[in-house]
Amino acid sequence: MDHGLRPADPAVDPGPSRGSQMEEEEEEEGESWCTMSKKVKISVIVVLCALVLAAVALGVVFGVLKLHQTRQLKKWHGEGTTPHFHKKLLKRCYDYTQVLKPELRSAKDCQKIVEAFMDAVLSKDPCRSTEEDYEPLMKLTDQTVPCDKTLFWSGTGELVHQYIKSQPEMFTLENTLLGYMADGLKWCGDAGSSEMNYQSCPDWRKDCARTTMSIFWDTASKRHLWTCGNP
């Protein structure tokens, strides 16, 4: 009988388990950190702190640039854009097409209309607006109106609207979708910004006679007169 030592049979001896290997690796990793010199540890911590500070610095820089951009909007002599301008346009559009004129409910897309309105103004000099800027908006808000019941006014708005209250069959530009949306609001953009200018807008007497708002109302009036009676 051979009582000598023989190599372990691989089929019988499975060797160390996977769990044991993982524990050994974790212990080695822990020991590697522990065995690092104090100088190396300090270097690692310094690098991590530097990365965190760099990220914070970038955030501050972007914030300052954004604030700087807002402050650099051109200053005019008139009031700035009406607060929540975009939301008010959208709400008025829905009110008009869903409640006042439900027959337009499926014919007008308020999201596209408001988007066209904003595109006509944003990133543009409010003293250099053109009728072409508002052309896409005019096409989206085309509306048939009877010519013999339309009142046009200039400087007599209060008197005209008081008259209309007693003559409900008559109406003005403000009674159309486009006029209803913009009535009483103020707006302008800025050539150097992709945002509306809520700080100030041009005054037609002190800054420029043809402001983005005056161009809008002139274009809307011409469009209103051109489409009256046309299906």
Side-chain angles (χ1 to χ4, degrees), residues 150-170:
T150 303
L151 295 178
F152 291 90
W153 60 272
S154 177
T156 58
E158 185 176 350
L159 179 62
V160 169
H161 288 97
Q162 286 181 354
Y163 173 75
I164 288 179
K165 288 181 180 179
S166 61
Q167 303 291 330
E169 73 279 4
M170 306 296 292

Side-chain angles (χ1 to χ4, degrees), residues 33 36-55:
W33 171 257
M36 282 184 182
S37 67
K38 184 176 181 180
K39 185 176 181 180
V40 173
K41 290 180 180 179
I42 293 176
S43 299
V44 172
I45 294 174
V46 169
V47 171
L48 292 175
C49 291
L51 291 174
V52 172
L53 290 175

Side-chain angles (χ1 to χ4, degrees), residues 18-218:
R18 178 59 180 169
S20 298
Q21 291 180 351
M22 293 179 63
E23 291 177 359
E24 291 177 359
E25 291 175 357
E26 292 175 356
E27 290 178 359
E28 290 177 358
E29 291 177 357
E31 290 176 357
S32 63
W33 171 257
C34 294
T35 55
M36 282 184 182
S37 67
K38 184 176 181 180
K39 185 176 181 180
V40 173
K41 290 180 180 179
I42 293 176
S43 299
V44 172
I45 294 174
V46 169
V47 171
L48 292 175
C49 291
L51 291 174
V52 172
L53 290 175
V56 173
L58 285 174
V60 172
V61 169
F62 282 121
V64 170
L65 288 176
K66 183 66 176 180
L67 181 61
H68 180 71
Q69 181 188 42
T70 301
R71 289 179 176 175
Q72 290 304 307
L73 293 176
K74 191 168 183 178
K75 294 183 180 180
W76 306 97
H77 292 87
E79 294 181 25
T81 300
T82 302
H84 310 296
F85 181 71
H86 183 279
K87 291 183 179 179
K88 288 184 177 180
L89 284 181
L90 194 58
K91 182 180 184 305
R92 289 185 178 189
C93 182
Y94 281 125
D95 287 344
Y96 191 92
T97 58
Q98 304 296 314
V99 181
L100 298 178
K101 300 289 183 179
E103 63 271 18
L104 298 177
R105 186 174 299 167
S106 59
K108 303 300 178 184
D109 188 328
C110 287
Q111 292 285 352
K112 289 184 178 180
I113 290 173
V114 173
E115 182 179 343
F117 204 130
M118 301 298 288
D119 287 343
V121 180
L122 293 177
S123 302
K124 296 177 182 177
D125 186 332
C127 279
R128 295 184 178 180
S129 292
T130 64
E131 293 186 5
E132 287 72 22
D133 292 334
Y134 288 105
E135 189 61 27
L137 174 63
M138 299 297 153
K139 290 181 179 179
L140 290 174
T141 54
D142 272 350
Q143 187 176 355
T144 303
V145 294
C147 298
D148 59 344
K149 297 184 183 299
T150 303
L151 295 178
F152 291 90
W153 60 272
S154 177
T156 58
E158 185 176 350
L159 179 62
V160 169
H161 288 97
Q162 286 181 354
Y163 173 75
I164 288 179
K165 288 181 180 179
S166 61
Q167 303 291 330
E169 73 279 4
M170 306 296 292
F171 60 92
T172 66
L173 180 59
E174 289 81 7
N175 298 114
T176 64
L177 171 58
L178 193 56
Y180 182 85
M181 289 173 59
D183 187 26
L185 300 182
K186 297 182 181 298
W187 65 89
C188 68
D190 188 275
S193 173
S194 59
E195 303 292 333
M196 300 294 286
N197 190 339
Y198 289 96
Q199 300 177 31
S200 63
C201 286
D203 183 286
W204 67 273
R205 292 161 294 189
K206 299 180 180 179
D207 297 307
C208 55
R210 300 284 286 171
T211 69
T212 188
M213 288 179 57
S214 65
I215 293 293
F216 167 84
W217 287 112
D218 287 350

